[in-house]
Amino acid sequence: MPVTIREGQSLELSIKRLGINGEGIGYYQRKIVFVPQALPGEKIKVQITKDTPTFAEAKLIQLIKKSPDRITPPCHFYDRCGGCQLQHLTYQKQLDFKRDLLKQALYKYKPLGYQNYPLKKTIGMKDPWYYRNKAQFQVRYNEKKKQAEAGLYQQNSHFLVAIDDCIVQEKETQAVINTVMSLVNKYQLPIYDERKNSGILKTLMVRTAIKTNELQLVFITNSKKLPKKKILIEEITSKHPNIISVMQNVQNKKTSVVMGEEMIPLWGKEAIREELNELSFDLSAKAFFQLNPKQTSILYQEAIKALDIGKNETVVDAYCGVGTIGLSVSKKAKEVRGMDITSQAIEDAKINAKKIDAKNTHYETGKAEILLPQWIQSGFRFDSLIVDPPRTGLDDQLIKTILTNTPKKMVYISCNVSTLAKDLKKLSKVFHVDYLQSVDMFPQTARCEVVVKLSKK
């Protein structure tokens, strides 16, 4: 008989471990119960918020026995905002959790020989605050306050939490958003209404280049119209002289995808310049770039070290973005080929390659699972492969290509330990897993980035 729990019911639980989203996990008559902001070793009182045949969800009501690893979250939006999940846990224990998260995923999917995979300690930050180089805040009109607000959605909802001081965000990005919102209210710009599908301004995106201090502002709108844009730009750029690029992106579709296809330059340049590991990169508004530049440098150094490129080796950089990793090894390699589905990222990669005179590089727009087989069919051979896929992991067709055309070595950069472990179950048939190195790219969150070194059996 399945255990039935009523919504609203109060229970006492002992928390055994943390789950993949950073929530505490307890058991009530063998049914798993997920409790956000609860920690292992704690005895707590909870109220059930959801019950299903296989699991329940609850909110923390009272700490009966507190973990010694619990701290007071410094953010005053933490209890409402869905951006962070671990601010109540000491930073060292966050790092331990992220390594344990990887261990749990491997145990679940059981790739060949997983018990013997070397799992290195998570590389953390000296200062795990104010690190995100890109703010992407939704804009909505608050009827009660009679003003527009910008912020993030509450977890698993479309309720906007207005934020004016995000302590994991680079300070300048938040300052720009605050300035823009004061002007949006001053000039009464029409704000997008999700229910009515009317209005104009939907989202603000601000990205900063840490090394050059250049800033880009993007207005994401429901139409090409943007009233008062001239006076807006004049006032914004006068208050923030580091802004060198102001763009407008038109997203008029009802979708969870934040940006649309059409990009309109409004003022200044179309890209900002960032520097990483002695290389310079142009970043356009839609180009992917890691959100934590300080840790990105470490992540890519770990990837390059794991790849261990020789002089006559040919490298494929799948999901290459603006070419960051491939260009970093281009001086050593015989040839580097990269692909990405974002055409603007590929254009940026070509520009970035030209800057360093990397004539042994080739970048192409398209899916890795389509382009790589085409290249192989035309006679192309590669020695090394580096992949940095989205959270969904590697496409099945790409894995099939790798299994039938196995390179000497491969480096897998993962942002999702579950899909990584799932992919390793297939890749471990032809590769030996040398080690896994987790890198904390997103302190205060449950997300974990991992570099995996693989060598052909």
Side-chain angles (χ1 to χ4, degrees):
M1 287 284 293
V3 179
T4 303
I5 308 173
R6 300 186 318 275
E7 287 187 16
Q9 183 177 346
S10 294
L11 301 172
E12 285 189 9
L13 294 175
S14 294
I15 301 300
K16 304 299 182 184
R17 59 187 173 88
L18 291 180
I20 195 165
N21 296 310
E23 68 278 76
I25 291 178
Y27 294 87
Y28 178 75
Q29 296 181 7
R30 296 187 179 180
K31 176 176 274 193
I32 192 167
V33 183
F34 297 104
V35 189
Q37 298 185 31
L39 296 176
E42 292 186 330
K43 189 172 182 181
I44 60 175
K45 186 176 180 181
V46 304
Q47 186 177 55
I48 300 299
T49 56
K50 182 179 180 180
D51 183 48
T52 76
T54 55
F55 69 90
E57 295 175 359
K59 64 179 179 179
L60 177 62
I61 301 298
Q62 181 187 351
L63 285 166
I64 299 169
K65 179 189 173 186
K66 189 168 75 169
S67 167
D69 302 316
R70 177 177 287 277
I71 58 174
T72 302
C75 175
H76 54 276
F77 302 106
Y78 182 59
D79 61 336
R80 291 165 287 146
C81 170
C84 296
Q85 301 83 41
L86 297 176
Q87 284 191 22
H88 60 288
L89 181 61
T90 63
Y91 188 53
Q92 183 54 55
K93 288 298 178 181
Q94 289 185 33
L95 299 180
D96 293 344
F97 157 69
K98 293 183 182 188
R99 183 172 177 268
D100 186 60
L101 204 61
L102 182 54
K103 195 182 292 185
Q104 286 183 46
L106 293 171
Y107 179 79
K108 179 181 178 181
Y109 288 98
K110 296 178 172 55
L112 197 62
Y114 75 96
Q115 304 96 325
N116 299 316
Y117 291 175
L119 271 61
K120 298 188 176 186
K121 289 184 178 181
T122 307
I123 300 172
M125 297 185 74
K126 287 181 181 178
D127 180 11
W129 303 100
Y130 298 107
Y131 60 82
R132 290 178 65 99
N133 65 347
K134 185 170 83 168
Q136 198 163 267
F137 281 14
Q138 306 302 317
V139 180
R140 295 294 180 265
Y141 188 77
N142 187 321
E143 288 288 351
K144 288 183 180 178
K145 294 183 180 179
K146 299 297 179 186
Q147 66 178 30
E149 297 175 330
L152 301 174
Y153 289 132
Q154 197 169 319
Q155 199 159 7
N156 302 320
S157 83
H158 265 220
F159 177 77
L160 189 80
V161 178
I163 296 171
D164 59 4
D165 182 21
C166 178
I167 61 175
V168 296
Q169 197 66 50
E170 281 281 346
K171 292 181 181 181
E172 189 68 10
T173 60
Q174 180 71 70
V176 170
I177 284 183
N178 292 348
T179 296
V180 173
M181 289 311 298
S182 68
L183 295 171
V184 164
N185 282 304
K186 177 182 175 181
Y187 294 111
Q188 298 184 330
L189 262 66
I191 306 303
Y192 178 70
D193 186 315
E194 198 172 22
R195 288 166 298 178
K196 297 177 182 176
N197 192 29
S198 63
I200 294 177
L201 183 60
K202 299 175 84 171
T203 309
L204 293 174
M205 192 274 272
V206 182
R207 178 151 60 180
T208 180
I210 302 302
K211 291 289 185 181
T212 63
N213 293 320
E214 293 181 352
L215 284 156
Q216 182 177 63
L217 167 64
V218 183
F219 293 93
I220 300 167
T221 59
N222 189 43
S223 72
K224 289 185 180 182
K225 294 178 182 177
L226 184 59
K228 312 279 187 178
K229 59 188 171 187
K230 187 177 178 182
I231 189 67
L232 275 173
I233 292 168
E234 283 178 6
E235 292 199 34
I236 292 165
T237 54
S238 67
K239 289 183 180 180
H240 299 278
N242 286 358
I243 294 177
I244 68 154
S245 172
V246 181
M247 307 288 288
Q248 181 183 357
N249 177 267
V250 182
Q251 175 53 293
N252 53 14
K253 296 177 182 176
K254 278 196 168 185
T255 171
S256 59
V257 179
V258 176
M259 285 197 182
E261 291 298 317
E262 187 174 8
M263 192 70 71
I264 304 167
L266 297 181
W267 181 88
K269 299 179 180 179
E270 293 189 29
I272 57 174
R273 183 173 56 86
E274 180 62 290
E275 295 172 2
L276 184 69
N277 295 340
E278 299 179 3
L279 295 176
S280 174
F281 297 92
D282 280 353
L283 301 174
S284 54
K286 291 181 75 174
F288 170 78
F289 193 73
Q290 294 281 1
L291 295 172
N292 185 340
K294 291 168 188 171
Q295 288 293 87
T296 299
S297 178
I298 291 169
L299 180 78
Y300 288 171
Q301 283 170 16
E302 288 295 326
I304 292 162
K305 181 171 73 176
L307 203 59
D308 191 23
I309 290 295
K311 282 188 177 179
N312 292 313
E313 291 182 1
T314 299
V315 184
V316 171
D317 182 7
Y319 313 91
C320 67
V322 297
T324 328
I325 300 176
L327 292 175
S328 297
V329 300
S330 61
K331 286 183 180 178
K332 289 183 179 179
K334 179 182 177 183
E335 183 184 0
V336 174
R337 287 197 184 191
M339 72 281 277
D340 197 281
I341 58 170
T342 305
S343 58
Q344 188 57 62
I346 289 298
E347 289 306 308
D348 289 344
K350 290 176 180 178
I351 291 167
N352 295 332
K354 196 172 182 180
K355 279 183 181 178
I356 62 168
D357 197 31
K359 294 176 181 175
N360 60 337
T361 60
H362 171 83
Y363 289 102
E364 202 168 326
T365 303
K367 294 180 178 179
E369 59 268 24
I370 294 174
L371 286 179
L372 188 57
Q374 288 178 357
W375 292 350
I376 292 167
Q377 196 172 12
S378 68
F380 173 72
R381 297 292 176 265
F382 60 106
D383 306 292
S384 303
L385 172 66
I386 188 157
V387 296
D388 188 2
R391 292 185 64 77
T392 49
L394 299 177
D395 181 87
D396 287 339
Q397 186 58 45
L398 179 59
I399 291 178
K400 186 178 177 182
T401 301
I402 294 167
L403 295 180
T404 53
N405 299 270
T406 310
K408 290 190 296 183
K409 48 195 172 182
M410 175 177 173
V411 170
Y412 190 136
I413 301 175
S414 168
C415 60
N416 184 331
V417 294
S418 294
T419 53
L420 167 65
K422 188 179 177 182
D423 288 346
L424 286 179
K425 191 174 178 69
K426 299 171 186 174
L427 295 172
S428 59
K429 295 173 184 177
V430 296
F431 286 109
H432 174 73
V433 178
D434 297 332
Y435 64 79
L436 299 95
Q437 174 67 70
S438 47
V439 179
D440 189 20
M441 296 291 291
F442 303 101
Q444 320 310 327
T445 79
R447 290 180 62 186
C448 180
E449 206 95 0
V450 185
V451 174
V452 188
K453 179 178 172 64
L454 305 111
S455 53
K456 187 178 179 181
K457 288 182 176 177

